[in-house]
Amino acid sequence: MSERSYQAWEFDEDLDDLVTQPGTTLATLNERFLRVTDPASPTAYLDRDVRDLAMRWTQRRDFVFVRLAELFHGVQLVHDDDYVLAAVGHLGGRTDTGGVRRFMLRHDDYLREHVFWRFFEVEGGGEISLANVDKFSNGNHSWTETILALVTDGVLDRSRILRSCLEALNRDFSAYRAGWFSRLHDALAPDAAEARANQGDLLRLLASTNSATTALAVRQAHLLHKAGTLDAEGFIRHASPAMAAPKTSALKVLAILRSLAGPGPDVDTSGLFAAAQLGMSHPHHDVQRAATSLLADFARDDLLAAGYPGLSPAVATEFGERPHPEALPGTSETVESPAGAMLAQAPEPPRWPHSMPVPGWPESEVLEHFASLLERPDDPIAFELALSWLAAHDASELLRPLARRAAKLGEGNENVVADLVLAATDPCFAFRPPTRARRARDLHGPALSWPEDGSIIPVLYKRVREVVEILQARAGHLELLATPTSTGGWIDPGTLVQRFLANDAAGAKTLQHDTVAALLRIAPEGRHLALELLQGSTLGPANTEAGSAIAYALGGPPVAIKNASWWVAAARARAPFESDNHLLAAGLDTPGQGHPAMLSLNWKSTTSSFKENGRIRNYTWWRVASVAGPHGPASAEFPSSIPSATKLFADPTALEIRQVAMAFPPSTLPLAASSIVTLNAGIDTPSPAAEDAVLEAMDIHPGRWEEPTAQILALALSAKRPEARIRATELFARVIPQRFGIEPFVAAMAHCARACILSRWATSLADAAGISASSAEATRDVLAHLLPRLEHNHHGVGKLLQVYLEESIRAGTPPASVALREWLEGFSGSSIAARHAKRLLAM
C-alpha cells in the first residue's frame, strides 16, 4: 500500500511544531521538506516565483521553502528587492505561533546578516510591506514582536536596529509604511545616550513631511535637551520645517527654542527667532500664541511686525493687533485666509454653469478619438459621440487596429468602450454590462442574460445594446436622437426633430431607449419652432407614436398612449416640475411619471461596541435610505423615476455617475440619489474616481438644486480625501448662495450633520472664506444659521466656532440673531468652544 501523499500546506502547518522542538536545525527542516510530494517538485523555484511572492501575500511561510531550496538543493536566485520583499511577506505566516521567523533568523546566518538588514531599505507596496504584514497578522505574531524578541536575546544588534529605523525614516517612505519604523523605534525606547549616537539622523527627520516621523524626532530632541546633550546649533538649523508639524510637535519645538534663547551657551539667535516666527502662521491658535509670545518676550518687534499678517484674527486681537481688512471684491489682491495661508483673491465666479456646444468628430480624427476614449472611458460627451458615430457608420475596418488593446482593457468587464470596439470588430462578440458583484445575479448564465438593472442607470446599457445590434448587423444604421448638443446634456429641440425626420425619411424605425433618453434631454429654448417643423412633416407609420411623443414634449397635443416609456419621458421634459394630467388619466401616477420625481433622504445610525486595551469603545456609522418612487432597482423604461430604497446604489463607475447627471438636465435629484452612498462612504473610505465624478457633475449640472443635492455638497465638505474637500470648497464658493440659498443649505447640513465630521467642515469653510469676499460672507451666514441647530456637545463644534469667530472679527460683524446669541450663552466651563462663545458674545 503506497504511503499517503504529504502536501506543501501540511509542511507549512508542521513548521510551528518543528521549530519549537529541541535540536531542530535547518537540516531537520529540509528532511521534512523532502517528504513533500505535492507539488511534485517543491524545490524547483525560479526568480518569477519569488517575484510573485513579492507582490502577493499568501499568509503562509513560503519563503522557508525558498531558503531550503537554496541551501540544500542548489537553487540559485537573484537576491534583489523582490527577494527581500518575498522574505518580508513569507518568512512567517499570519499566525506565526511557533516563531518560524525567529528560528530562521537565528539559524540562517546569510538571511540574518545580508537579507534582513535590507528590510530597512526596501519600502515595499501593495500587500507586501512590514507595515501591511504586521497590520494583518494575529496577536503577537508580528515582525515587530519578532525583532524585539531577537534584540532581547542578543541575536540582533540593538544599536543597529535603532540606526536602521532612522535611516529608513529618512528615505521618505509613504506615511503608512514609514509608521512601522517609527513604532519599532518607539518600542525599543532608546535612552538619551542612544539618541545622542544617532543625533544627526534624528535632526534631519525634523524636515519630514510625515507628521508621525516629525513627532518622533521632536520627542528625541526633547529627550536630548533634558539630558543636556542636544546639538543646539544643529537643532536650530533643522527646526524651521518642524514648525509646520501638528500642534503638539510644534509647541515642543517652540519650548526648546525658548529654552535655547535664554541664558546659557551662545547660539545663533537670528536663526532661532526666524524659526519661531514661522509658528505665527501655524493653523493652530496655541502655536500662534506660543510663537508670538516668544518673539514678544525677547523684543523681536521686526519679526513680530512681519509675522502679524499670518496670525488668525482671534489671536491678533489678543496681542493688540487689528486684523487686516479684506481686499475689495472682484480684485486680484492677496488676502489672508482664516487658516493662515495667503491666497490670491479671484474675481467673482460666474453665477451659473454655462453649457458649451458639442462639436462632432471630423472623419479624419475618429480613430484618434476612439483610441483616447478607450483609455479614458469615463468622458460622457465623448462616449455619446462614440455611440452616435458607431450607430451611423460601418466601423469594423476603422476600429480593427484597436481590437487587441480593447480585448486587453475589457478583461475586467468594466470598460464599456472596449466592449463597443470588440462588438464592432467581432460579429460573435456578446455584450455584457459591467458585472461587479452588486450587478451580476448570475455570473455563469448566458452572456446576453447578464442584467444591467442593478446599475444606477440601466437605460445607458440598454442604449449600448441597441448600438451593438446595429454593429453586428441585426439592425440598420441610423442617426441617434439622444446625442447631446451641449455639455450640460441638453439637446437642441430643432436638432432633435431634424434627426428624427431624417431617420424616418430613410425608413429607420425609432429605437426604444434612444428615444427615451432623447426626450428627457430636450432643451427648453426653441421648442415652438421645432414643434412647427415636426407638425408640418408626414411620418411613416412605424414612427407615428414616437413623433406624437416628441411633439407632446415640445408642447403639442396629447394622443392615446401606447408606449408608456416615451410618453412619461415626454411629459417630464414638457413640464419637469409639474404633474401631467394626460399621464395621470392613463394611470401613470407615480413620482417621476405623472407626478414630478421626488427624493427625501433619511439617516439612521448603527452603533457597535468593542474592547480595545481593556476599554469599551463605541463606533457609530450612519446609513442613508431614500423615500422617492416605487421600491426596487432603477428603471430603464422610466429613467425619470427615482426608486425608494433602504440600500442605495454603491460603487458606481465614473461614467455611470456622469451619465446620470446628463440623463435629465432639468433636475439634480437623480444625481443626488445615485451618489449619496458614495459621498457618505467617502467620509471614511474614499472612492476617488467616483467622488471626483460626482463633484465635477454637480459643478456643471444645469438643473435645479434641491435639499438632497445640498446634502451631497455637505458630505463632500466632510470627505476624508483633502482633494475632495478642496473640490467641494470651490463648489461651495460658486453655488452658495448664487444657486442655492443660505437657509436651505443650512437645513441640508443640519440634516446630515451627525454623519459628518465637523472639524472637516471647519477646515473646508475656512478655506472657502479665503476664496473671495462673497464666499467669506456666505461662510459667516452659513455658520450663523447652522450653529444654533447643532448640539453644544457635538464633537467638533468648537472648530466651527473658531472659524465663525475669526471671520466675525475679520469682518467686524458680531453675532446679531437672537437664536445664535441664546445658543452661545448655553456654553459653560472652560472648553475651547466655551471660550470662543464668550469672545463672540463680547464683541
Side-chain angles (χ1 to χ4, degrees):
M1 187 174 180
S2 60
E3 185 179 350
R4 185 181 71 85
S5 64
Y6 184 60
Q7 301 184 35
W9 66 266
E10 293 179 285
F11 173 70
D12 181 80
E13 287 191 347
D14 290 345
L15 280 172
D16 287 321
D17 291 331
L18 284 171
V19 298
T20 58
Q21 295 174 8
T24 298
T25 65
L26 291 170
T28 308
L29 297 188
N30 183 55
E31 290 173 6
R32 181 67 64 90
F33 184 49
L34 289 173
R35 291 171 51 188
V36 173
T37 55
D38 182 16
S41 301
T43 63
Y45 275 90
L46 300 173
D47 289 318
R48 67 169 175 266
D49 300 314
V50 173
R51 283 195 297 274
D52 184 56
L53 292 178
M55 295 184 291
R56 182 174 58 88
W57 190 30
T58 67
Q59 302 186 16
R60 299 190 304 269
R61 278 67 69 95
D62 294 323
F63 197 77
V64 176
F65 292 46
V66 174
R67 284 302 295 155
L68 294 176
E70 286 186 298
L71 291 168
F72 297 100
H73 302 281
V75 172
Q76 295 184 346
L77 299 169
V78 177
H79 292 186
D80 55 7
D81 288 357
D82 286 340
Y83 186 88
V84 173
L85 291 175
V88 168
H90 301 92
L91 196 57
R94 186 181 181 202
T95 55
D96 189 19
T97 54
V100 174
R101 292 191 187 103
R102 294 195 294 274
F103 176 89
M104 292 297 294
L105 289 173
R106 281 194 180 99
H107 291 81
D108 189 338
D109 295 341
Y110 179 85
L111 182 67
R112 182 181 63 253
E113 298 303 329
H114 297 280
V115 180
F116 170 75
W117 294 109
R118 292 197 60 207
F119 287 11
F120 297 84
E121 301 172 4
V122 182
E123 179 178 12
E127 295 182 21
I128 306 296
S129 66
L130 289 162
N132 212 54
V133 170
D134 271 16
K135 179 178 179 179
F136 296 103
S137 293
N138 289 346
N140 297 323
H141 311 141
S142 63
W143 269 113
T144 300
E145 295 299 326
T146 298
I147 292 170
L148 292 176
L150 293 175
V151 167
T152 301
D153 295 346
V155 177
L156 294 176
D157 184 345
R158 174 185 170 88
S159 61
R160 187 175 179 184
I161 292 287
L162 288 169
R163 183 172 68 254
S164 296
C165 285
L166 299 178
E167 290 171 351
L169 292 171
N170 270 306
R171 289 190 171 94
D172 287 331
F173 291 164
S174 75
Y176 173 64
R177 290 182 278 275
W180 184 89
F181 299 99
S182 294
R183 291 189 292 274
L184 176 59
H185 187 276
D186 287 344
L188 289 167
D191 58 25
E194 291 173 315
R196 184 180 185 184
N198 298 312
Q199 187 163 187
D201 287 328
L202 280 167
L203 294 180
R204 282 193 292 274
L205 292 179
L206 291 170
S208 174
T209 56
N210 180 350
S211 59
T213 301
T214 306
L216 180 149
V218 171
R219 288 195 301 272
Q220 293 295 293
H222 184 68
L223 178 67
L224 289 166
H225 183 57
K226 287 177 62 178
T229 55
L230 177 67
D231 174 6
E233 295 291 350
F235 179 80
I236 292 170
R237 284 197 306 272
H238 291 90
S240 293
M243 291 311 305
K247 169 190 169 182
T248 301
S249 295
L251 288 175
K252 286 183 177 179
V253 171
L254 285 168
I256 295 174
L257 291 175
R258 176 179 283 278
S259 177
L260 293 175
D266 290 337
V267 295
D268 174 20
T269 56
S270 61
L272 184 153
F273 292 125
Q277 186 208 38
L278 296 174
M280 294 180 71
S281 59
H282 194 279
H284 202 282
H285 286 188
D286 289 349
V287 178
Q288 293 184 18
R289 290 187 186 96
T292 306
S293 296
L294 172 57
L295 295 176
D297 290 348
F298 286 89
R300 292 306 306 261
D301 294 342
D302 55 335
L303 294 176
L304 283 170
Y308 266 126
L311 290 177
S312 73
V315 175
T317 56
E318 290 179 25
F319 287 89
E321 179 75 8
R322 296 299 302 168
H324 293 259
E326 291 278 7
L328 294 175
T331 72
S332 58
E333 229 175 295
T334 299
V335 298
E336 55 180 310
S337 79
M342 302 304 292
L343 302 172
Q345 177 152 336
E348 296 292 331
R351 284 177 169 261
W352 306 103
H354 295 289
S355 295
M356 303 295 292
V358 174
W361 287 350
E363 288 295 322
S364 60
E365 299 177 4
V366 170
L367 182 62
E368 180 182 347
H369 282 294
F370 268 103
S372 175
L373 185 60
L374 192 59
E375 302 298 328
R376 188 181 180 275
D378 56 354
D379 183 332
I381 294 296
F383 185 84
E384 291 286 348
L385 292 173
L387 282 181
S388 176
W389 194 91
L390 290 171
H393 299 83
D394 183 352
S396 58
E397 292 304 319
L398 179 73
L399 297 184
R400 199 167 300 282
L402 301 179
R404 179 176 295 181
R405 179 61 176 164
K408 177 68 175 175
L409 292 174
E411 287 177 353
N413 193 230
E414 290 296 331
N415 190 323
V416 183
V417 178
D419 288 350
L420 286 167
V421 171
L422 293 173
T425 55
D426 179 2
C428 297
F429 177 81
F431 170 70
R432 302 171 297 178
T435 53
R436 297 185 181 194
R438 72 187 193 286
R439 301 193 184 104
R441 297 174 179 84
D442 180 11
L443 299 186
H444 305 291
L448 289 176
S449 74
W450 285 23
E452 52 258 37
D453 288 342
S455 160
I456 63 173
I457 182 164
V459 69
L460 168 66
Y461 299 112
K462 295 289 189 184
R463 293 177 57 215
V464 171
R465 285 193 191 278
E466 291 175 339
V467 173
V468 169
E469 292 292 296
I470 296 171
L471 293 174
Q472 298 184 336
R474 292 187 289 271
H477 290 285
L478 81 171
E479 186 172 5
L480 294 184
L481 304 182
T483 308
T485 57
S486 69
T487 51
W490 294 116
I491 301 175
D492 174 70
T495 302
L496 172 62
V497 170
Q498 290 170 5
R499 291 171 182 170
F500 175 70
L501 294 176
N503 287 339
D504 182 70
K509 184 180 179 181
T510 302
L511 300 177
Q512 171 71 18
H513 295 96
D514 176 50
T515 304
V516 170
L519 286 164
L520 290 170
R521 290 174 173 173
I522 296 177
E525 300 86 4
R527 292 187 177 190
H528 179 68
L529 292 176
L531 178 61
E532 288 183 353
L533 175 62
L534 179 59
Q535 290 178 330
S537 304
T538 302
L539 301 176
N543 292 320
T544 301
E545 186 174 13
S548 297
I550 293 173
Y552 188 66
L554 296 172
V559 300
I561 295 174
K562 295 180 181 178
N563 190 321
S565 298
W566 290 349
W567 283 93
V568 166
R572 290 302 98 223
R574 179 186 178 108
F577 307 108
E578 297 177 12
S579 296
D580 187 278
N581 291 328
H582 184 49
L583 266 61
L584 295 176
L588 297 166
D589 56 0
T590 61
Q593 295 182 354
H595 294 295
M598 59 169 287
L599 175 64
S600 176
L601 300 175
N602 293 338
W603 292 90
K604 294 184 178 180
S605 64
T606 302
T607 301
S608 65
S609 300
F610 59 95
K611 197 169 185 178
E612 182 180 71
N613 298 327
R615 297 178 61 187
I616 299 297
R617 299 185 180 276
N618 296 318
Y619 178 77
T620 300
W621 65 94
W622 290 82
R623 292 189 175 93
V624 60
S626 70
V627 178
H631 284 269
S635 170
E637 304 306 319
F638 304 110
S640 54
S641 290
I642 300 172
S644 292
T646 53
K647 184 178 181 182
L648 297 181
F649 308 107
D651 199 26
T653 67
L655 175 63
E656 290 173 344
I657 291 168
R658 292 183 171 109
Q659 281 284 333
V660 167
M662 292 200 315
F664 190 44
S667 174
T668 58
L669 284 184
L671 175 62
S674 61
S675 56
I676 187 73
V677 168
T678 297
L679 270 296
N680 185 35
I683 293 175
D684 294 313
T685 310
S687 301
E691 290 170 9
D692 291 345
V694 171
L695 293 169
E696 178 186 308
M698 290 176 66
D699 197 13
I700 65 174
H701 201 295
R704 187 166 82 178
W705 275 51
E706 301 192 39
E707 197 209 35
T709 322
Q711 287 193 49
I712 296 291
L713 177 55
L715 291 169
L717 291 170
S718 178
K720 184 175 183 178
R721 288 174 58 235
E723 298 86 352
R725 294 201 301 274
I726 290 170
R727 278 179 173 267
T729 297
E730 294 170 346
L731 182 57
F732 171 92
R734 285 191 286 273
V735 170
I736 309 299
Q738 292 90 336
R739 291 191 65 187
F740 200 67
I742 296 292
E743 292 190 10
F745 181 64
V746 167
M749 293 184 78
H751 198 167
C752 62
R754 280 294 176 186
C756 296
I757 297 175
L758 299 196
S759 59
R760 293 180 187 166
W761 271 0
T763 300
S764 298
L765 291 172
D767 289 341
I771 292 176
S772 68
S774 63
S775 58
E777 182 180 0
T779 298
R780 291 193 301 274
D781 290 344
V782 163
L783 288 171
H785 287 79
L786 174 65
L787 288 170
R789 302 183 67 157
L790 301 176
E791 296 178 7
H792 290 90
N793 62 352
H794 195 145
H795 185 69
V797 75
K799 296 287 188 181
L800 288 175
L801 273 167
Q802 177 180 323
V803 176
Y804 183 57
L805 172 63
E806 291 178 354
E807 288 308 307
S808 297
I809 292 173
R810 192 189 306 277
T813 55
S817 78
V818 174
L820 176 57
R821 295 190 71 86
E822 288 178 350
W823 182 82
L824 292 171
E825 290 168 355
F827 282 96
S828 60
S830 58
S831 67
I832 292 176
R835 294 201 300 269
H836 291 328
K838 290 175 183 176
R839 291 196 62 186
L840 281 163
L841 289 168
M843 285 183 64

